[in-house]
Amino acid sequence: MMRTSSIRSQDDPLSLALRPPPTETDSDRQRRLQHEAEARRISEQIDEDLRVEREKLKKSRSDVKLLLLGQAESGKSTLQKQFQLMYSPASLESERMSWRTVVYFNVVRSIKKILTTLESFDDIDDGTDSQSTLERQEYGDDLPPRSPSVQQSVHSSQIGVALSPPSPVSPADGNQPNSPIKGHVTAIADLRRRLLPLTNTEPQLADRLSGGVAVSGSGKGEVYVRSGWQARTIQKGQKMIGRRSKKSEVPLELTNERSATALSVLDADPLVDDVATMLDQSRDEIKTLWDHPIVRALIGSRKLKLDEWAEFFLNDIARISARNYVPSTDDILHARIQTMGVAEHIFDVDIHGKTVTWHLFDVGGARGQRHSWVPYFDDANAIIFVSPISAFDQYLEEDPRTNRIDDSLQLFTQICSNQLLKKVHLVLFLNKTDILRKKLERGLSVSKYILSYGDRPNEYDSVVQYFRAHFLQVHRRNNENRRVLYTHLTSVVDTKATQSIIGNVRDSIFRGYLQSAALV
């Protein structure tokens, strides 16, 4: 009968396998002990990693996952900045100087668009053409030719500025050296020449921000940035002077000393430094161009359509073009750059004495990027859907036939009807109400672009209620679970109002989160 080995038996196979050979030297023994110690260290590290992962998984189950959804340029990224400003101000402070590049890019792009539009109307000095570019834009190419005298009168009224004296002007007078028409054209041509070096920096600034990444099928000529672009922009300046700066933990408004330090880091970037110098030297030309009567007339007649943030920056060009310019918080909120893919932002939010980690996902809203939303649907706790109700007169860059309000309603329908999101807490932001008010005050007619609006009053309250009713109707048709839709009228560049709304949204999301977790 075979006797089994006891645990103390020297005949145990494992003990025999681990027993050092009889011929082991001192150096061999040292190496063996080192290998055994390293094996123990690796084993203990694996055990620790597994423990951390278990703790992280356990903790993540109590985290709130919030998605910001909506079409491109709806205000999602601006809303994300407001969350950052409210719950992680130090992180916004640490990236403040990176927004200087974005502001410069916004300003340069706006100037270039103004000059390009003026160039397309370069026949304003020609009184002999049978039909002007402006008239073709307004009436179509099938407009019959006019006589020179009639054309001069209509052309001046169309752009809304008297390009000639009140008395009748013969066609030939437009070509006289001292004529008002020729003077305007000469002045604009001179401004174009002086600003050419500045506008030529637009592709370089775009490449700096995007890292050279182009996104196909997501709008013509747009610039998209990847997650973490702020740090890469700052690091570019830091590499130039061979040092790294530490993240700031100071209050939002910079001191003079901090401003100087931040500028010294970023000004080491030759591109940003060159653009800053050109803006400083060109501020008078930029102001002259922006205040030019033809530019104001083209904006007023909607022949020149600038991006919404252009007016904010160009009205304050004296401050922005200053050599020691540091972006203010309002500048950061108004600065426009399109996000590519999905960017995650993590905040620790204190709710009634309980600290909860929020994962806020800011997603790209262009049509070509919406497929990237789906992987985040299955474990989302809440969605804020942002719709720009000021966009009733705008069309998609990707599809000029589709009105942006229609696209936003279609997208909201897809979100409400998605089976993965049926139990997700849903908040609707009808955004850009400030821009809507301005458009209505200028007399822009909603029924011209939204035929179903009919003869309703072209007033703010009526327009808002009309759009709100359409979104509520979409929700009712896709609400089998009787989920409550929380609706807010917002202008997310307004910090005080937006942060008050964020507080209300935070509480409502947290209540819904507790109920879904069966904690109340």
Side-chain angles (χ1 to χ4, degrees):
M1 182 175 179
M2 182 176 292
R3 182 167 59 87
T4 58
S5 302
S6 72
I7 60 172
R8 296 185 178 83
S9 172
Q10 295 301 310
D11 298 328
D12 175 55
L14 184 58
S15 299
L16 289 172
L18 295 176
R19 182 184 301 169
T23 58
E24 181 182 51
T25 64
D26 289 342
S27 58
D28 291 340
R29 181 174 178 275
Q30 277 299 113
R31 282 195 295 271
R32 177 173 58 80
L33 293 176
Q34 288 175 357
H35 290 158
E36 291 176 357
E38 178 64 13
R40 279 195 301 273
R41 187 193 66 77
I42 293 174
S43 178
E44 290 169 357
Q45 183 62 51
I46 292 172
D47 290 341
E48 177 63 17
D49 290 344
L50 290 173
R51 187 191 65 79
V52 170
E53 284 299 317
R54 283 194 297 269
E55 289 294 325
K56 184 186 291 187
L57 180 61
K58 182 179 177 181
K59 183 177 182 297
S60 67
R61 289 172 181 164
S62 63
D63 291 354
V64 171
K65 297 177 180 64
L66 171 63
L67 307 183
L68 299 184
L69 303 182
Q71 64 184 200
E73 299 184 58
S74 59
K76 299 186 303 297
S77 294
T78 306
L79 180 58
Q80 174 267 310
K81 294 174 201 171
Q82 291 285 16
F83 270 92
Q84 192 175 1
L85 184 63
M86 191 168 181
Y87 295 115
S88 183
S91 67
L92 187 67
E93 183 61 45
S94 69
E95 64 189 39
R96 182 177 293 274
M97 291 310 297
S98 66
W99 288 98
R100 191 180 186 215
T101 310
V102 181
V103 172
Y104 285 170
F105 173 70
N106 289 171
V107 170
V108 171
R109 170 164 278 201
S110 299
I111 294 169
K112 188 173 183 178
K113 185 170 185 178
I114 292 171
L115 292 172
T116 301
T117 303
L118 288 172
E119 194 170 7
S120 71
F121 294 117
D122 59 0
D123 59 344
I124 62 173
D125 65 329
D126 190 349
T128 60
D129 285 350
S130 63
Q131 184 181 335
S132 71
T133 303
L134 197 58
E135 289 175 294
R136 290 194 296 273
Q137 292 271 341
E138 182 72 17
Y139 298 107
D141 290 328
D142 57 349
L143 184 70
R146 291 187 172 89
S147 66
S149 60
V150 173
Q151 177 200 332
Q152 176 65 37
S153 173
V154 172
H155 179 67
S156 298
S157 66
Q158 286 296 326
I159 63 173
V161 61
L163 298 181
S164 56
S167 58
V169 180
S170 66
D173 287 341
N175 293 322
Q176 295 301 316
N178 296 323
S179 73
I181 296 176
K182 181 65 74 175
H184 280 306
V185 173
T186 302
I188 289 173
D190 185 55
L191 288 172
R192 182 182 291 111
R193 177 181 59 81
R194 290 171 177 268
L195 293 171
L196 184 61
L198 178 64
T199 56
N200 281 345
T201 64
E202 187 211 16
Q204 299 170 25
L205 288 167
D207 189 68
R208 172 61 49 79
L209 290 167
S210 68
V213 176
V215 180
S216 61
S218 298
K220 317 186 275 186
E222 292 300 331
V223 175
Y224 292 84
V225 295
R226 296 167 295 168
S227 176
W229 67 268
Q230 299 95 329
R232 286 190 292 273
T233 303
I234 290 292
Q235 287 167 4
K236 175 68 178 177
Q238 292 167 345
K239 287 178 182 178
M240 295 292 180
I241 56 177
R243 70 167 183 252
R244 300 176 61 86
S245 64
K246 295 181 180 179
K247 287 187 177 181
S248 171
E249 297 294 338
V250 300
L252 278 177
E253 297 303 324
L254 292 174
T255 63
N256 292 334
E257 183 178 354
R258 277 274 297 137
S259 301
T261 302
L263 282 166
S264 69
V265 171
L266 203 58
D267 281 354
D269 183 340
L271 174 60
V272 176
D273 189 45
D274 287 347
V275 175
T277 301
M278 283 187 275
L279 280 170
D280 185 36
Q281 295 172 347
S282 306
R283 71 175 70 179
D284 291 339
E285 287 83 359
I286 297 171
K287 192 174 188 309
T288 300
L289 176 68
W290 180 236
D291 293 336
H292 198 285
I294 291 182
V295 174
R296 309 317 302 175
L298 290 174
I299 292 174
S301 63
R302 295 179 59 75
K303 300 299 184 295
L304 171 59
K305 295 182 181 179
L306 294 174
D307 294 299
E308 294 160 354
W309 35 259
E311 184 175 353
F312 177 84
F313 291 123
L314 291 176
N315 280 341
D316 211 2
I317 193 63
R319 176 179 64 85
I320 291 169
S321 61
R323 197 63 186 83
N324 62 346
Y325 167 67
V326 175
S328 67
T329 299
D330 271 350
D331 292 342
I332 294 173
L333 292 174
H334 283 85
R336 173 65 184 151
I337 192 74
Q338 292 210 55
T339 51
M340 179 174 65
V342 179
E344 181 181 7
H345 304 269
I346 301 176
F347 308 114
D348 287 329
V349 180
D350 183 76
I351 307 178
H352 308 302
K354 178 180 176 61
T355 300
V356 179
T357 300
W358 284 41
H359 300 260
L360 187 149
F361 297 93
D362 178 17
V363 304
R367 277 190 172 180
Q369 299 184 61
R370 293 175 186 174
H371 64 276
S372 64
W373 300 3
V374 179
Y376 297 86
F377 286 176
D378 57 353
D379 59 351
N381 300 110
I383 289 173
I384 296 180
F385 187 90
V386 186
S387 176
I389 56 173
S390 65
F392 64 85
D393 62 329
Q394 297 174 331
Y395 297 83
L396 294 182
E397 285 283 349
E398 310 95 306
D399 181 7
R401 299 167 300 177
T402 302
N403 184 283
R404 288 188 60 195
I405 292 287
D406 286 337
D407 177 69
S408 193
L409 277 167
Q410 292 170 18
L411 186 54
F412 188 64
T413 302
Q414 294 171 17
I415 297 302
C416 290
S417 60
N418 191 297
Q419 293 301 317
L420 292 174
L421 303 174
K422 286 295 185 180
K423 296 183 179 180
V424 172
H425 188 88
L426 187 59
V427 181
L428 173 65
F429 276 22
L430 298 178
N431 193 35
K432 301 193 178 184
T433 55
D434 55 329
I435 299 173
L436 175 65
R437 284 184 185 276
K438 290 178 182 178
K439 287 183 177 182
L440 297 176
E441 288 169 1
R442 290 202 306 264
L444 202 61
S445 174
V446 174
S447 59
K448 179 180 178 181
Y449 301 92
I450 309 291
L451 298 180
S452 60
Y453 190 72
D455 58 357
R456 294 175 176 83
N458 202 61
E459 299 171 354
Y460 175 80
D461 289 339
S462 177
V463 172
V464 164
Q465 292 308 315
Y466 175 78
F467 289 139
R468 184 173 181 272
H470 275 272
F471 280 94
L472 292 177
Q473 185 180 53
V474 166
H475 181 255
R476 280 195 300 270
R477 288 176 176 174
N478 299 277
N479 192 25
E480 301 89 348
N481 297 334
R482 298 188 177 183
R483 169 178 54 188
V484 176
L485 175 65
Y486 297 85
T487 308
H488 298 273
L489 301 175
T490 60
S491 169
V492 293
V493 294
D494 183 337
T495 297
K496 185 176 180 180
T498 302
Q499 294 197 355
S500 175
I501 292 172
I502 287 175
N504 294 333
V505 169
R506 174 202 63 197
D507 291 344
S508 67
I509 288 175
F510 190 61
R511 284 195 300 271
Y513 164 73
L514 290 178
Q515 290 169 356
S516 65
L519 295 177
V520 296

